[in-house]
Structure formats: structure tokens, C-alpha cells
Amino acid sequence: MAITERVEKIRENYVNTKPHISYERAWSWTKSFQRTEGQPHLIRTAQAFYDTCCELPVNIWEGELIVGTSGEYRKCAILTPEFGWLWINDEIDTFPERGQDPYDVTPEQTEFIRKNIFPYWKGRSVEEAFLARTSEATKKIGVDTGFLDTDSKWRNGIGEISADYVDVLLPKGYGGIRREAEAYMADLDETIPEEKAKIEFYKSMVLIADGMTTLGRRYSAKAAEMAETEADPQRKKELEEIADVCSRIPEQPPETFREAVQFVWFVQLGGIIAENPLAWNPGRFDQYMYPYYKADEEAGIIDYDTALELVECLWLKYSEWAWTISKNTASFFAGYTNFENLTIGGRKVDGSDATNTVSYMAIQATRECMTHQPTLSCRIHPDCPPEFMEAVTELVSTGCGFPAIHGDRTGYQMLSNLGYKPEDARDWNNCGCVVPHSRKTFEWTSAASISFAAALEFALNQGRSRLSGEQVSLPEKDPKTFASMDEIIEAWKKQFRYLVRHGVISLVTAQEIHKEIGHRPFMSACNEYCMKNGKDLVDGGAKYNIGPVFTGVGLSVTANSLAVIKKLVFEDKVTTLAEIIDAIDNNWEGYEQLRELALACPKYGNDDDYVDSIARDLADFFYEEVTQYDDLYGNHFVTAFMGISNYLPTGKVLGATPEGRHAKDPINEGVSPYTGSDTSTCLAALRSAAKMNHDIHSGGTLLNLRLNHDLVATRRGRANLGAMLQSYFALGGFHVQFNTISNEVLADAQLHPEKYRSLLVRVAGYSAQFTNLSREMQDSIMARNAHTEF
Amino acid sequence: MGVKGYIMQLQPFSVNDGEGIRTNIFMAGCPLRCRWCSNPEGFMQKEVIGWYRRRCIGCGACASVCPQGIGIDMDSACIAGHSGLTGHEMCIACSACVKVCPENARTRMVTIMDAEDIIHEIHRHRVFYSYSGGGVTFTGGEATMQPEFLDYLSHELYGMGYSLAIESCGYFDFEQVRESLERMDLIFMDLKHMDPAEHQKYTGVSNEKILDNIQKLATLGTTGSGSESKRGSSGLEIKSEGKEGPEIVIRIPVIGGVNNSEENIAASAAFVHEYLPHARMELLPYHRLGAVKYEAIGKPFDQDDFYTLDAEEMDRLREIVREQGVSLADYR
């Protein structure tokens, strides 16, 4: 079945339109805050949400079945100055023209924002509070450095929440949430301070519920108004249906699949208005949507194609919202990516297979719409049905990069290690990119980015940045005088500990600020235990309060570098540490032969224990070091190896490294091998990565590998891919994403073979490294690929 | 003291020579000299060092350690003054240059390997075989050219529970390798031409022994005459009295200009149908991807006479096979 004309039109608009900045949300929010000076911050936030829901422009766009937008533009990007506005003020004039992720914004809008919105927030934003409370030492190493970064927790809304559709939202509706809050309030005594605080919380719940109810009714009224003047009878009927659905949704629980889809979108929109959040996850969509589909299908009121069209409309809504981010952040998260992570597959809480028709519908919607959202993730368990694996690998073979594929058992172990009960751990969903998460949880899942390679640079450069020469970290002795591997590793640990300390200080500071002025009543309303406990998320209301996550970057670069020093200096004795230091000080210029020797040393990603064991030791140390600290709530910090494109900016700030990398070149993400250094097979790379003890890094681990498209072009090839996935998960791996290779990449590989040493292509009945092939053969393979492109 | 043999390469992640994800063991030495061969380094049971000119950065590390005085360019005559002999001819395969080459431009193309080391490498990938239904494929060169080594490896790996396959040119002493063949789940055997003279012309040997061995495949693993059906018409397995024989796939490398006539394909399929009624056939298109290996070992690449059939032509030939009552195998 092909995509419908309606969806195609929406899709074309999505593909061809630049997102437009809207200040409407920020303006409503600002006006509301001006009216509520002196009230508790939690109430002010909930009131601002309510006021915004009453004022936000209401538009229903051409062809839409699922409605609701965060501003007056169809592809809309909104502002949240209460978190941070300094960077917006600095950059807004360049929004339309910047290279990565531009937004349209008119000069009139810019002037309005500068005149009416920013002045109120001056001195009141989370960002300013953070900078005011942070020491120079911390700033030097941990603010906008690329060595250690925590700014996603004090410049933007937090996000990183999975809405609880199962126990809260769908069964209750916002009307139910309001009634529940009122019932709790009725039993509380305002003379008791603790109960007084709870009353405030429940008042905030009522405001949130009323805001959402109002939003739905405004869309209902708008649709009814449009239906009256609509000439096309077909569209008129659709508008009447929208008016009907939104007259009940989201106040009342949905009763049909169609209502449920609209409900899910309203919840998503509410979260966007509340925080403009990153990683605001729809969660296990196939699990909570299937009952509606099944009931409707049995009752004969929906068929597969009709349901699919609604799901595709939802996919486009997820994608039309654009996250508003700084130029620098855009270099980390290129492509307007906001990580609305939607999980399918896996097992049910009772342990049986969870896949259903909606799981396949989600895959089909992603394949047909080719939208960048939702971030489609799947859970693969050992007894995964072959049809599901086939659908997953088929989607991989389109080269779209979806779904992100996760091992069910490792996800379960990661949560178990954090103290989750089995029934909650089994129900895990993905958050953001590759974080095992739960709808019962409050956790800063991407709190600090910490560079293993920066610690190595400081260890081998007396605590100074190699590029700037500035003393940013702890002093260390002259690197040329290190006498053993142990001494070097100790020096790395000392510097790494220092980075961790400042990360902890930064994040606890940010937590304190959020506890004061970062209340999250909207997100708290999506969380079962906040309601039960009468506490906002920032006050620890959730069932599971998990410590902030440190994401390690540059693991393989660091392990490879240590392996080079170990082998060339201390074992083979073919060079000295002094010479290596001179070489990287000179960015390898004049040391080409030494660089060749360094490049020839064992590299992580080839199933070679010589270097893989170093990587594992570093990763284990990371875990031990980070988890010994407790956060503001008394929960230990957590480790992860994720990070999407942060290997680019974190590489840009570093000098050359001993394993042969040049200054400013990228480092590596997650547990992935350094680009081009996994020169054996894909299987060896999987085995190397699986040696990292994934289960202890409960914030998630990420592995990206490239595969030639040809390898997955046949059903048999895709079956083998499925087997590789199951093998990786059996070995203990958590996540892997296979990028199939386009001819564009192959052309670049011809120009820069040194970057593509590990690029595998299928030759004739086997696979070989592309760069090992002659030019003509490369050309012939590219010609072949052109025939197999989908 | 371990059992050793000549190995061109262990190729993990092989996906076209049997089910699933496999490790191919390329065993050196071949009794044929097919003119279209894409693995010329495997002709002899002799250690070979190759030189990939396009990877070479000319650093000279190889030349500085070579005990034979061979320069960077293995194709030219040696500086040590052995008139007329090229580096390839002078090379004693000591591997000193391989160890120092930073770009892997000098590589071992045939080495002597210990069976235990091979088995260790195979173990590494066992989880991938399990999930994919894969295993190990003996190929070459020609795996049967080292019958004792093949026997040892297949005996050990069979005992460890790996699924085994072999790919052979069919030119061997059947009784010498019968036991090894019995351990296979799948046997690929080539049938390059039905005409003995043409076969002789292009491969250096006549096809009589090969045709004879193809017929003998029917005697593997069955107690009787080989007439016992392994698969019933429903496709379900039917247990025969004795041990089941391996699955058999007769392969034709379709070389344009040599064996691609409809008559030859039809005759080949008819032969298979007559003597191995349950065997399948696989037709593989000719390719020139071995050219770079000729370059590496300093041999001229002389395959201008041959061409690759296009997909439609290949499909027509496959149809001819089917018309003879033989079903097709496809491991693409």
C-alpha cells in the first residue's frame, strides 16, 4: 500500500519548509510570570502553562487529521527564555542564514523579543543563576570547553521524560488527573507545612489539567468554525470529526484509536509548550496503542490502512516541531533532532513477546514517511519473532538509520543495576538516543559529556590544553619523564577524576537551581508517583530518582593512544615517550614515519585483547569513579557511552593524540571504534565493543557501524544482519546501529582512503575493505550499488 | 607439534558459501589452472608474500630488512644482482618485510598455519554461526589438495559441533577424502565444462575425473545406492536408514566465451539430474575482482577473452537448468 495523498502533501511541506521561530509561547509565559511575582515558583510555572494554553494561536493546517501546533507556523520552533536567553540574544540575527539547522525569523519578531521578552528574564534565567554560582575553576574546565560539558542542564529545558500513558494519561485523561488532585487536596491540612507544600503541588496539577483541557476545546472550536465555512464536503466532514474528537480529548480518556492518537499528540504538544524539551519520549507506543487498535478493528470501525494514515500523521507532527538550539548545540545534534524516542517490540512485563500489529505499523510509517522523528527504537529479545526481525532489518537496509536496535536483556540488566523492580525493568523504553528508561523515572539522562581524550591530553601536557596552552586542569609532571605505563595511567586517572569532580559540582549546582526555579508540573502530571507523593519531579516525586548521567566520549581514541605508548615505548622500545610528545606537539608534522608506526599498533575494534582490555579497564574505572558520587537527592551518578555527534566538537578542542589522530580531528562516540581503525570485520568490531561491560553503564551504550548497502540488499543478507544483532546482544551488547553505505560515501572514500580503512564492501561471495580494492574495482562496486539503491 | 597446512586466508563473515555467517578457510594448492581464476596466489602449496602497489607509500622499510636484498618494487629485478630474477622470484617468504610495513602493502598471501590456531580463530565467531545457522567452509585453492590437513580440521571441527561445508573443483582421489566429505553438511562441487577437450583447454585438466567424482557424491552417507530420498516431495526431511548424506550443490562459474552456451548448461544440468537427482545447482557469474591479486604476486592478468553475462542472460541459463529438472541454489 502506498502512502496516501494527504500524508504525501504534509510530508512534502515538511521536507521543503524551513522551521520558523515563534515567540508566542515565550510571550505568554513572560506575561504570566509578570503577573505572578511573589507566588511559589511551582504555581507560577503551572499558571504560565495554563495561560499559554489559553492564548497560543490555534491553527489547523491543510489536510491535517491530527491537530495541535506550538505556535503560528506549521513547522514551529519556540523559545524558553526562562532557562536561557543569553545565547538566543547573541545568535538570533544569524538564525535564518546559519549553515546547520537554520530557522526563519523576521526582524520585527527579533525586535519584539528583544524589547518585550528578554528584559524580563535578565537575571532570572537558569543559565544566569548557574554562571553566577559556578567557580572560575569549574568554568575553566567545564563551561563551553568540549572537555567537560553540562550546559544542556542549564541552558535548555530538561526533557528526558517518558510519559506514563499506561497508568496515568490514557486511563485518566486530564479530567481524571484534575479530579485525583482535588481528591488528594481535600484530605490535606494547610496548617501542616509538609501538607501545605503538597497542596501547592496539587494546585499545580489542576492548572496543568485545565490548561490541557482548554487547549483541546480551543482546537475543537476552531475545527467547528472552519467546518462551517468549508466548501469541500470531504474536508468539512473531517473538520467536524476533529471538532468532535477535540471536544473530549485530552480531558477525557480516549475510547478509539483515532482519539488515542490525538491524545498522544496533545500530550506531546503540552510537553513542548512546557519545556521545549529534548528527549521527550512517547515510549512504548505499540504497547499502549494496540488495545485501541484491536478493539476498533474488532468492532469494525477501523482497518489497518486507516490506522496507518493516522500514525503517519502523528509521525509528521513529531517532525514538524523543531527544537530551538544554539549553533554550537546544532553541531552536536545536527538535523533539528529532538529525540522523541518511540520504542517498539521487546517483551511484555510477563516475559512474553510484545510485538503486535502496531509495531509493524510504526516501522511502515517510518519507512514511508522517512521523517527524522520519532526516533524509532526497537527492543530485540532472544526469542524475537523472525517476521519482526525481518521488518527491522528491512528498514535498516533503506539506509535511513532507523531503527536504533537494542538488546532486550541488556536494557533490563542496566535498569536492574540501578535498583529497578523486575516489573519496571522489564517494561523499559528508550529515552533520547540509547538510554534505557522508564515512565516511572526522573533522571537527567544526558547530563555531562566527559572526554576521556581530554584527560589524556592533560596527563601528557601538564594539565594544559595542547591547542591553547592554557592551564585548565591539574598540574602534572613533565610527560617526558614518565617511566612506566602504570605512571601514565595513574596520571590519566588523576586528570579524569578532576573532570568528574567538576562535573559533579556543576550538576549538583544545576540541580539546586532547578529545585528553586525549574519546577516541572506538566511532566509531573505525566508521572504516576508524583501524584501519589504530592511532589513535583524536582522535589523527588517520582518512583525512581536516578542520578545524572555522565557520557564518556573518546574511549577508543584514548585506549588506542595508551596501546601505542605501551607497545612502541615500553615494549618494542622503538621510540621514546619524549619523541611521541614532540610528535603530537607538532601535530605529527615531521614525524610521519613515527605516525605510521603508531597507526600500525593494535586498535580497538578488531577483537584484539591487547587494546580492547585497555579500553575495558578505562570504562570500568569510569564507572567506579563516577558512581561513588551522590547527587542532590542522594542517588549515585551514572555512566553511559552514548553521544550522537559530540565526537566532532569534543575533537575540535584537542591537539593530536598518540594513536595517530591529528589535532582537531573528531574523536569517537560511544563504544564505537575510531572511524577507520576497525579494519577487520564487522564481527570483530562487535566482539570488541561487547567486551565493554555494558550492563554497568546504565545510562546506555552506543555502537555505530557502517555496512555496505549490498550486504543487506537481499533477504538472506538481512537474515545474517539479524543474526549479527542477536549475536551482539548474546555477548552482552546493548545498542547497535548499522549505517548502510551510499555511493556518496564511497566516492569520498576514494578521495580520502585513510579515513575509510574499515569500510567493508561485498566483493564476490565475501567482503573486503573498500580501500584495498583497485580503482576500477571500486568503480564497479559503486556501479553495482547504484543498481541496488532502493 | 601441531598439524600444519598451507593457508591463503581465513575469511570470517563469509556469507555466500553456505548457510548463514561462515568462516571460509582458503587452503592453498590447486590441481587446476583455470584461466579465469581469481585467487592465483593459491595455485601452489608454497608461502607467498604479495605487494599491493597501490597501498605502498614507498617508505623503504621492507627493503631495509629484506635478507634477499629485494627492493620496494617486487616486480623489478633485485638490486643484489641476481640477474633476471624479480623480487617475487627471489622472495623466501620470511615475512620480515610484512612485519615492518606500516601500510600492509606487503602481505602474506599464503602462510603455513597451525591447525590449533585456525580452530581458535573459528571459535571466536561461534556465536555468529549459532544465530545465523552458519559454520565453516573449506575452500581454496583446493581444499582436497591437503587431504591430511583437511581430515584433521574437519574431524576436529565436526567433533566440536560446527556445521561444515566444502567447495571443491572436484579433481581429487575420492577415497582419500571420503571421510572428510562425510562430515560435511553441504558440498559445493564445480562443473566447469561438459566437453573434456574444452575443459582441458581452459583448466589444464580433463573433466573425466571430475564427472566421475560428481557421480560418487551419491554414495556419501547412505547405506544403499544413494537412491534414498533425503527430502520428500513436501520438502520435509525424510530420515533414511543410515546417516544422511550431505546436501550437494553443483556450481558452474559461468564464464562468458567459455562455457555459457545453452547446450553446455543444458548438458551439465542433465548430467547432474541423472546422477544426483537431489542435488541443486548454482550458476555464478564471472568476475574480474581477482585482478589486484595478480598484480600483488607479479603475475600477468590475462582474461581479456572472458566476459560477464548480464543478469538477464544468467537468468535464462538458470531457466535452462530448471527445465532439466534440477532446482537452483542461491546463496546471494
Side-chain angles (χ1 to χ4, degrees), chain A residues 596 607 687 716 765 772 777, chain B residues 15-16 18 55 103 124 331:
Chain A
E596 294 298 339
D607 193 16
R687 280 181 54 82
R716 221 178 140 264
N772 282 1
M777 201 186 299
Chain B
V15 294
N16 298 93
R55 309 190 77 185
E103 293 293 318
R124 274 180 191 257
Y331 291 97

Side-chain angles (χ1 to χ4, degrees), chain A residues 596 607 681-683 686-687 714 716 720 723-724 726-727 730 757 760 763-767 772 774-775 777, chain B residues 11-13 15-16 18-21 54-55 57 102-103 124-125 127-128 131-132 287 289 292 330-332:
Chain A
E596 294 298 339
D607 193 16
T681 63
C682 195
L683 309 186
L686 289 168
R687 280 181 54 82
T714 64
R716 221 178 140 264
N720 284 333
M724 283 156 65
Q726 287 287 26
S727 304
R757 288 232 179 82
L760 260 189
V763 183
Y766 68 96
S767 301
N772 282 1
S774 70
R775 181 64 187 231
M777 201 186 299
Chain B
Q11 177 74 250
F13 200 19
V15 294
N16 298 93
E19 295 298 337
I21 294 170
R54 67 191 74 247
R55 309 190 77 185
I57 53 169
E103 293 293 318
R124 274 180 191 257
H125 297 105
V127 65
F128 298 101
Y131 279 102
S132 65
H287 64 79
L289 301 176
V292 67
D330 188 352
Y331 291 97
R332 285 172 297 176

Side-chain angles (χ1 to χ4, degrees), chain B residues 163-227:
Chain B
S163 172
L164 304 180
I166 188 170
E167 189 200 31
S168 169
C169 68
Y171 195 90
F172 51 79
D173 177 344
F174 202 91
E175 293 314 314
Q176 197 179 21
V177 294
R178 175 183 283 277
E179 278 189 49
S180 293
L181 295 178
E182 296 273 14
R183 297 182 188 117
M184 302 295 154
D185 289 316
L186 176 61
I187 296 174
F188 293 100
M189 207 178 276
D190 280 1
L191 177 46
K192 281 154 185 151
H193 212 300
M194 283 304 284
D195 183 291
E198 289 291 296
H199 200 281
Q200 174 87 42
K201 177 179 167 194
Y202 286 106
T203 72
V205 301
S206 172
N207 64 4
E208 283 152 24
K209 194 171 186 174
I210 294 169
L211 295 177
D212 189 44
N213 278 341
I214 287 176
Q215 295 177 50
K216 282 182 179 157
L217 289 174
T219 67
L220 289 173
T222 51
T223 47
S225 62
S227 62

Side-chain angles (χ1 to χ4, degrees), chain A residues 306-380:
Chain A
T306 315
L308 175 65
E309 186 180 43
L310 289 166
V311 168
E312 294 185 337
C313 286
L314 177 64
W315 263 222
L316 283 149
K317 294 304 285 185
Y318 283 132
S319 302
E320 283 173 350
W321 162 49
W323 197 39
T324 318
I325 49 176
S326 69
K327 187 177 162 211
N328 183 46
T329 312
S331 72
F332 283 73
F333 300 104
Y336 304 110
T337 300
N338 34 21
F339 297 102
E340 299 164 278
N341 200 310
L342 188 145
T343 306
I344 54 171
R347 283 193 280 211
K348 297 180 191 170
V349 175
D350 69 8
S352 63
D353 176 61
T355 56
N356 58 47
T357 312
V358 179
S359 322
Y360 294 91
M361 203 180 279
I363 288 177
Q364 190 174 349
T366 295
R367 196 179 63 222
E368 291 184 347
C369 293
M370 283 288 154
T371 47
H372 71 297
Q373 292 299 317
T375 301
L376 188 68
S377 294
C378 66
R379 287 172 45 175
I380 299 292

Side-chain angles (χ1 to χ4, degrees), chain B residues 43-269:
Chain B
F43 286 167
M44 308 288 284
Q45 285 173 43
K46 170 178 169 277
E47 288 192 278
V48 179
I49 303 288
W51 175 50
Y52 284 96
R53 183 188 287 268
R54 67 191 74 247
R55 309 190 77 185
C56 180
I57 53 169
C59 71
C62 50
S64 70
V65 296
C66 181
Q68 295 290 88
I70 299 167
I72 294 171
D73 184 350
M74 289 186 80
D75 293 332
S76 35
C78 295
I79 46 168
H82 298 270
S83 60
L85 290 184
T86 67
H88 291 292
E89 288 160 330
M90 283 293 298
C91 178
I92 54 167
C94 68
S95 294
C97 56
V98 175
K99 285 177 194 145
V100 297
C101 178
E103 293 293 318
N104 290 328
R106 284 279 211 276
T107 56
R108 280 177 269 245
M109 299 188 72
V110 177
T111 52
I112 296 178
M113 276 187 86
D114 199 291
E116 300 315 315
D117 291 336
I118 293 172
I119 290 167
H120 176 76
E121 285 304 308
I122 284 163
H123 283 334
R124 274 180 191 257
H125 297 105
R126 59 193 181 278
V127 65
F128 298 101
Y129 312 143
S130 314
Y131 279 102
S132 65
V136 175
T137 300
F138 298 94
T139 179
E142 170 56 36
T144 60
M145 283 287 275
Q146 300 180 63
E148 296 85 6
F149 196 42
L150 175 66
D151 177 62
Y152 181 81
L153 282 173
S154 62
H155 176 265
E156 289 299 298
L157 293 170
Y158 181 85
M160 291 165 185
Y162 289 109
S163 172
L164 304 180
I166 188 170
E167 189 200 31
S168 169
C169 68
Y171 195 90
F172 51 79
D173 177 344
F174 202 91
E175 293 314 314
Q176 197 179 21
V177 294
R178 175 183 283 277
E179 278 189 49
S180 293
L181 295 178
E182 296 273 14
R183 297 182 188 117
M184 302 295 154
D185 289 316
L186 176 61
I187 296 174
F188 293 100
M189 207 178 276
D190 280 1
L191 177 46
K192 281 154 185 151
H193 212 300
M194 283 304 284
D195 183 291
E198 289 291 296
H199 200 281
Q200 174 87 42
K201 177 179 167 194
Y202 286 106
T203 72
V205 301
S206 172
N207 64 4
E208 283 152 24
K209 194 171 186 174
I210 294 169
L211 295 177
D212 189 44
N213 278 341
I214 287 176
Q215 295 177 50
K216 282 182 179 157
L217 289 174
T219 67
L220 289 173
T222 51
T223 47
S225 62
S227 62
E228 201 80 51
S229 173
K230 187 175 175 188
R231 286 183 190 278
S233 55
S234 65
L236 294 173
E237 276 191 300
I238 296 169
K239 293 280 176 201
S240 56
E241 294 284 311
K243 180 192 172 297
E244 284 174 38
E247 276 196 56
I248 291 164
V249 172
I250 302 300
R251 276 179 162 173
I252 302 181
V254 181
I255 317 295
V258 177
N259 60 2
N260 60 317
S261 73
E262 297 189 3
E263 297 70 35
N264 180 56
I265 300 297
S268 304

